[in-house]
């Protein structure tokens, strides 16, 4: 048995410049950091050989682990203080005259633009460093048949504290017909504008706080045959995983972490399937060692992976709730045959929309959940070849290698495809545009996707298709002595 603990304590000697206007307006300071905050992490582990049998082992443990250190995230407090830069907004006049904007903020023509607004990112005064509990248990057993080792494992993690971003300058103005918060400034047949708490600040007043929601459950079973005298070895494994989170945190910028989410209520910590959850995975690895020439070992390995596609969310393509952010509002699925919450711009839009509902089996009368659908299953092969080359020194050799990742895509461009990748790992599909009619209290659906009704996903720049699935080759040389 092992019993112990670990203590982490980050040090941030530099102070964040204080913003008095933020304190006066919102009653919160912007200069808080996690300097000197401690995370005490007790841990326990054990390893037991059942009945003295060296081939039967039970091992496990439980403990608290500090993780997702928010070092780059705290930098936003230093770079967005509200006093180190100002934002001016200006547009063309009704006659088309370009606005008068000066490059010098101190000589800005006030009549030519909206008064300067501050952008502030800050840490919640009660912020706690991210950590999560982890518990696991595993059973290993060697059997006589082919000298196979069987390993069964279960691991559970649950969040103690994780990060969550909020935009505190958004002012809710109404509750939408489906229950989501709306932030429209002016309600009309086509509502417009975003209501802010204070126009002295931009629509990017971001607070980094905490959530205690989220966790994972992972089960795995593997069979492994070590290399035999004939040079053959193999391993087969199955992994089942269920992961939930509130925010993945895919960017170094506070505003990007806030807006790169698929949400129902943008400032509420909503737990959902993890952005990178792989629900089921099968791995098979086969390897063979042999000598093409006496004394020169050659190793060839083939790895096959079959896994569930990444989760994705159906969202509206425009700004539906008035928070000035597009392509992040989870879609409401109306009831067929007439739903008082929704009307369609055209009959063709209605028909395409319900074709999507049928194609993906979406539940009517409610908004979709984030990550509730999956991209197609992924199937890939990787090839590895290693060749030993003896050198004229005692026990010195050169190992030449060639690794081909996604071999199937090399053989056929339609094989080994991965859907749903982009630079922020956010996976979402725009189902339709949804304007809010503030007079009728209805959403108006238009421009419904023309590809989704057939189950097709339209690759676009930045989503990683086909870049994420493109085959690649790595040539290497390693000197061993």
């Amino acid at each position: 048995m092992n019993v112990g603990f670990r203590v982490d304590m980050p040090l941030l000697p530099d102070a964040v410049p204080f913003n008095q206007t933020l304190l006066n307006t919102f009653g919160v300071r912007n200069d808080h950091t996690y300097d000197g905050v401690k995370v005490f992490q007790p841990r326990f582990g054990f390893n037991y050989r059942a009945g003295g049998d060296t081939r039967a082992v039970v091992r496990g443990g439980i403990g608290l682990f500090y993780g997702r250190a928010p070092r780059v995230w705290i930098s936003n407090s230093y770079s967005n203080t509200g006093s180190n830069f100002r934002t001016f907004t200006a547009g063309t006049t009704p006659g088309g005259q370009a606005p008068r904007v000066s490059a010098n903020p101190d000589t800005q023509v006030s009549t030519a633009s909206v008064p300067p607004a501050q952008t502030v990112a800050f840490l919640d005064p009660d912020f706690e460093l991210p950590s999560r509990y982890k518990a696991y248990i595993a059973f290993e057993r060697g059997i006589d048949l082919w000298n196979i080792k069987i390993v069964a494992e279960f691991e559970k993690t649950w969040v103690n504290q994780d990060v969550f971003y909020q935009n505190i300058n958004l002012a809710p103005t109404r509750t939408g017909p489906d229950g989501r918060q709306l932030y429209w400034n002016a309600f009309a047949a086509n509502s417009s504008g975003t209501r802010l708490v204070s126009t002295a600040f931009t629509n990017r007043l971001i607070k980094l706080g905490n959530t205690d929601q989220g966790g994972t459950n992972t089960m795995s079973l593997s069979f492994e045959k070590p290399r035999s005298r004939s040079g053959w070895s193999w391993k087969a494994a199955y992994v089942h995983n269920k992961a939930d989170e509130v925010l993945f945190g895919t960017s170094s910028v506070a505003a990007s972490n806030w807006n790169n989410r698929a949400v129902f209520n943008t400032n509420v910590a909503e737990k959902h399937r993890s952005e990178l959850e792989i629900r089921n995975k099968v791995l098979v690895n086969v390897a063979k060692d042999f000598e093409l020439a006496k004394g020169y070992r050659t190793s060839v390995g083939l790895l096959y992976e079959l896994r569930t596609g990444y989760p994705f969310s159906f969202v509206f393509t425009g700004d539906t709730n008035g928070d000035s952010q597009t392509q992040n509002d989870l879609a409401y699925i109306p009831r067929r045959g007439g739903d008082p919450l929704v009307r369609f711009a055209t009959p063709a839009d209605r028909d395409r929309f319900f074709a999507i509902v049928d194609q993906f089996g979406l539940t009517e009368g409610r908004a979709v959940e984030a990550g509730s659908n999956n991209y197609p299953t992924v199937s890939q092969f990787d090839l590895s070849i290693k060749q030993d080359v003896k050198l004229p020194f005692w026990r010195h050799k050169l190992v030449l290698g060639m690794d081909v990742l996604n071999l199937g895509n090399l053989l056929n461009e339609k094989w080994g495809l991965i859907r749903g990748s982009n630079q922020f790992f956010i996976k979402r599909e725009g189902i339709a545009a949804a304007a809010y009619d503030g007079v009728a209290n209805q959403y108006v659906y238009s421009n419904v996707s023309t590809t989704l009704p057939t189950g097709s996903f339209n690759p676009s720049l930045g989503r990683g298709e086909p870049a994420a699935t493109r085959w690649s080759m790595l040539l290497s040389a390693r000197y061993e002595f």
Side-chain angles (χ1 to χ4, degrees):
M1 290 191 300
N2 293 300
V3 179
F5 66 89
R6 170 175 172 157
V7 178
D8 283 275
M9 185 181 71
L11 299 176
L12 295 170
D14 296 327
V16 175
F18 173 64
N19 188 317
Q20 184 66 51
T21 305
L22 181 72
L23 178 62
N24 295 342
T25 307
F26 291 93
V28 63
R29 299 180 66 95
N30 72 306
D31 57 352
H32 179 74
T33 71
Y34 51 74
D35 178 43
V37 175
K38 301 180 183 66
V39 182
F40 178 77
Q41 305 151 75
R43 298 172 187 176
F44 165 77
F46 69 91
N47 190 309
Y48 173 68
R49 297 188 180 277
D53 188 347
T54 59
R55 298 189 305 170
V57 178
V58 179
R59 51 185 168 82
I62 188 170
L64 181 66
F65 294 82
Y66 168 51
R68 298 237 294 172
R71 294 187 177 92
V72 71
W73 294 327
I74 187 62
S75 70
N76 288 272
S77 295
Y78 293 88
S79 58
N80 295 273
T81 64
S83 58
N84 53 349
F85 69 90
R86 286 175 286 177
T87 301
F88 292 86
T89 303
T92 57
T93 62
Q97 181 68 36
R100 297 175 59 195
V101 179
S102 172
N104 185 347
D106 295 326
T107 61
Q108 192 64 245
V109 181
S110 59
T111 58
S113 64
V114 175
Q118 301 183 31
T119 296
V120 182
F122 66 99
L123 205 64
D124 189 320
D126 298 321
F127 181 80
E128 295 185 36
L129 290 168
S131 62
R132 68 172 56 206
Y133 291 98
K134 174 182 175 181
Y136 84 98
I137 188 166
F139 175 75
E140 298 180 11
R141 182 70 168 93
I143 61 176
D144 295 330
L145 178 64
W146 297 338
N147 198 26
I148 290 176
K149 182 174 73 171
I150 303 173
V151 180
E153 295 181 271
F154 175 74
E155 178 186 281
K156 181 179 181 64
T157 71
W158 59 100
V159 167
N160 179 43
Q161 294 292 340
D162 207 343
V163 297
F164 179 62
Y165 287 88
Q166 290 177 297
N167 185 347
I168 68 169
N169 202 25
L170 286 177
T173 51
R174 185 182 291 186
T175 299
D178 59 348
R180 78 182 74 207
Q181 288 182 337
L182 303 179
Y183 303 93
W184 295 111
N185 188 53
F187 292 100
N190 191 358
S191 300
S192 61
T194 299
R195 183 74 59 83
L196 300 180
V197 176
S198 172
T199 56
F201 297 87
T202 67
N203 187 20
R204 292 296 183 268
L205 187 52
I206 309 299
K207 179 179 73 173
L208 173 55
N210 287 116
T211 177
D212 60 0
Q213 300 184 69
T216 64
N217 290 285
T218 306
M219 296 178 291
S220 66
L221 179 66
S222 66
F223 300 83
E224 181 178 4
K225 180 185 181 301
R227 186 172 66 242
S228 62
R229 291 183 178 179
S230 64
W232 285 100
S233 62
W234 58 264
K235 182 176 181 178
Y238 167 73
V239 182
H240 176 78
N241 179 45
K242 186 177 184 298
D244 298 315
E245 66 190 11
V246 170
L247 184 140
F248 185 52
T250 58
S251 175
S252 60
V253 179
S256 297
N257 279 322
W258 170 72
N259 61 37
N260 279 300
R261 300 178 296 136
V263 296
F264 186 70
N265 283 316
T266 190
N267 272 335
V268 176
E270 299 169 341
K271 187 173 71 172
H272 57 83
R273 287 179 68 189
S274 174
E275 297 284 354
L276 295 182
E277 180 202 79
I278 297 177
R279 182 62 57 91
N280 297 290
K281 179 191 290 188
V282 174
L283 294 168
V284 179
N285 186 23
V286 179
K288 169 70 173 176
D289 289 355
F290 57 94
E291 293 183 350
L292 287 175
K294 186 173 178 59
Y296 292 81
R297 186 180 65 176
T298 302
S299 301
V300 178
L302 189 66
L303 173 65
Y304 173 67
E305 178 187 41
L306 176 68
R307 67 168 175 82
T308 308
Y310 287 130
F312 73 89
S313 307
F314 282 111
V315 297
F316 294 125
T317 55
D319 182 11
T320 301
N321 65 350
D323 64 356
S324 297
Q325 179 62 33
T326 61
Q327 300 187 45
N328 73 324
D329 297 313
L330 291 169
Y332 171 78
I333 309 302
R335 291 182 176 86
R336 210 175 307 240
D339 189 318
L341 280 61
V342 173
R343 71 176 187 269
F344 290 90
T346 67
D349 283 316
R350 179 197 59 212
D351 294 342
R352 284 199 304 272
F353 189 93
F354 286 109
I356 297 172
V357 172
D358 294 336
Q359 176 69 37
F360 293 94
L362 305 180
T363 302
E364 300 176 17
R366 52 177 284 187
V368 298
E369 295 181 2
S372 56
N373 289 270
N374 285 87
Y375 283 109
T377 299
V378 176
S379 177
Q380 292 187 330
F381 287 93
D382 295 335
L383 174 66
S384 177
I385 301 175
K386 298 290 188 293
Q387 178 63 56
D388 289 1
V389 179
K390 289 185 177 180
L391 298 176
F393 308 103
W394 184 64
R395 292 185 179 178
H396 289 227
K397 68 177 179 179
L398 195 65
V399 180
L400 303 178
M402 181 184 73
D403 295 277
V404 182
L405 304 180
N406 202 359
L407 177 64
N409 191 250
L410 171 63
L411 303 176
N412 188 321
E413 64 179 10
K414 295 182 179 179
W415 294 352
L417 298 180
I418 301 176
R419 300 295 188 186
S421 299
N422 81 346
Q423 59 180 338
F424 290 112
F425 303 101
I426 305 303
K427 293 159 288 296
R428 50 199 177 195
E429 294 292 329
I431 192 171
Y436 177 63
D437 183 343
V439 178
N441 193 28
Q442 284 184 323
Y443 299 119
V444 183
Y445 292 2
S446 63
N447 297 319
V448 175
S449 170
T450 57
T451 57
L452 290 174
T454 61
S456 301
F457 304 101
N458 185 24
S460 61
L461 184 65
R463 284 181 49 186
E465 301 171 3
T469 57
R470 188 176 298 140
W471 67 271
S472 60
M473 182 182 295
L474 174 66
L475 301 177
S476 63
R478 185 173 71 246
Y479 177 63
E480 296 184 359
F481 59 94

